[in-house]
Amino acid sequence: MWNYTDKVKEHFFNPKNAGALDEANAVGEVGSITCGDALKLMMKVNPDNQVIEDAKFQTFGCGSAIASSSALTEMIIGKTVDEALAVTNRDIAEYLGGLPPEKMHCSVMGAEALRAAIANFKGEEWVDDHEEGELVCKCFGIDAAMIERAVTVNSLTTLEEVTHYTKAGGSCQTCHEKIEEVLEAVLAKTGALAPPKPHAPGTVGLDAIKPLAPKAEAAPAKLTNVQRMQKIMFAIEELRPQIQRDGGDVELVDIDGKDIYVRLTGACSGCSQSAGTMMGVQAKLVEALGEFVRVKPASLMPVGA
């Protein structure tokens, strides 16, 4: 069970501004019912001073989606369009006192709907069919631009965080490599991947003395193929009792470099949370090996492998 704040519960059980807004002159729709979440945000904007006089929402999704949508309407009523445009998903989550990491994508959906509605009011074309950005996650219809915004606004640094905030990569996982490329490009652009600058010693008095170079630590010995395979097998065996308690199981099928193929069986086979189970296995293996690896379902193994 997710740990929800009292503010989230309040907006879920007693949502504010739910329903249709007949006088709306700004409408933004994002998501898809087939993907599990959809939101329609409607705003009544005064054309003279561009103040948002009213806002309502209709959403299809979980409690966090309802709470995020409700909070968003409360936050933007009374603001000008330009002031509302500055509202980010982090603002929505903070307004609610926080959201579970796995539910942050609900706040992102709210921020996207707001941008779409404002574009609609301004007469600008809001492209939600990903013609402007490269489609990265086909399962949830997430493009590179949305991932870039989520990474930048929320200072994300890992694939798991990107999935929590956008749902990208949370299903079949075939897009993980592409998500990592987008993530690394954004981090490089923002300088988050840049190595720290060396200390520049002064030139006067004691400052002229160069600091001692840090003692180089011995690099860990590279694992042999057998040792690496044993670590993978041992890590999976450690995970199995936990998964078996939920009526499922996991077995190692093949290892192909950074790609590790496993098969979920029992209750885990076809479960709606199977993607989360895969991510848990991947996190365990990354920790055990000390390197990044991708855990994929056996059904995605190359033909003939």
Side-chain angles (χ1 to χ4, degrees), residues 4-77:
Y4 291 116
T5 67
D6 290 337
K7 198 74 173 288
V8 171
K9 294 175 184 176
E10 174 191 341
H11 279 273
F12 170 58
F13 290 114
N14 299 290
K16 313 295 191 296
N17 311 305
L21 181 60
D22 296 333
E23 310 86 39
N25 56 354
V27 179
E29 297 184 68
V30 296
S32 168
I33 292 179
T34 59
C35 297
D37 292 299
L39 169 61
K40 181 178 183 180
L41 176 66
M42 296 151 282
M43 305 189 305
K44 178 184 177 182
V45 183
N46 187 315
D48 297 325
N49 56 17
Q50 296 200 347
V51 170
I52 300 172
E53 297 179 343
D54 198 3
K56 288 185 178 293
F57 75 92
Q58 293 176 317
T59 188
F60 177 86
C62 62
S64 295
I66 295 172
S68 295
S69 303
S70 172
L72 173 62
T73 57
E74 289 288 274
M75 294 171 67
I76 62 176
I77 292 176

Side-chain angles (χ1 to χ4, degrees), residues 105-137:
H105 65 270
C106 296
S107 66
V108 173
M109 185 171 65
E112 292 288 301
L114 176 59
R115 294 176 68 248
I118 292 175
N120 177 250
F121 171 74
K122 293 183 175 181
E124 301 170 353
E125 183 181 3
W126 169 257
V127 181
D128 194 34
D129 59 0
H130 313 288
E131 290 180 358
E132 291 186 350
E134 179 184 359
L135 185 61
V136 175
C137 177

Side-chain angles (χ1 to χ4, degrees), residues 2 41 106 115 121 147 154 210 214 220 240 244 251 263 283 285 297:
W2 308 119
L41 176 66
C106 296
R115 294 176 68 248
F121 171 74
I147 294 174
N154 300 284
K210 292 185 177 181
R240 289 186 66 200
Q244 288 171 341
E251 61 177 311
R263 179 179 291 111
L285 293 181

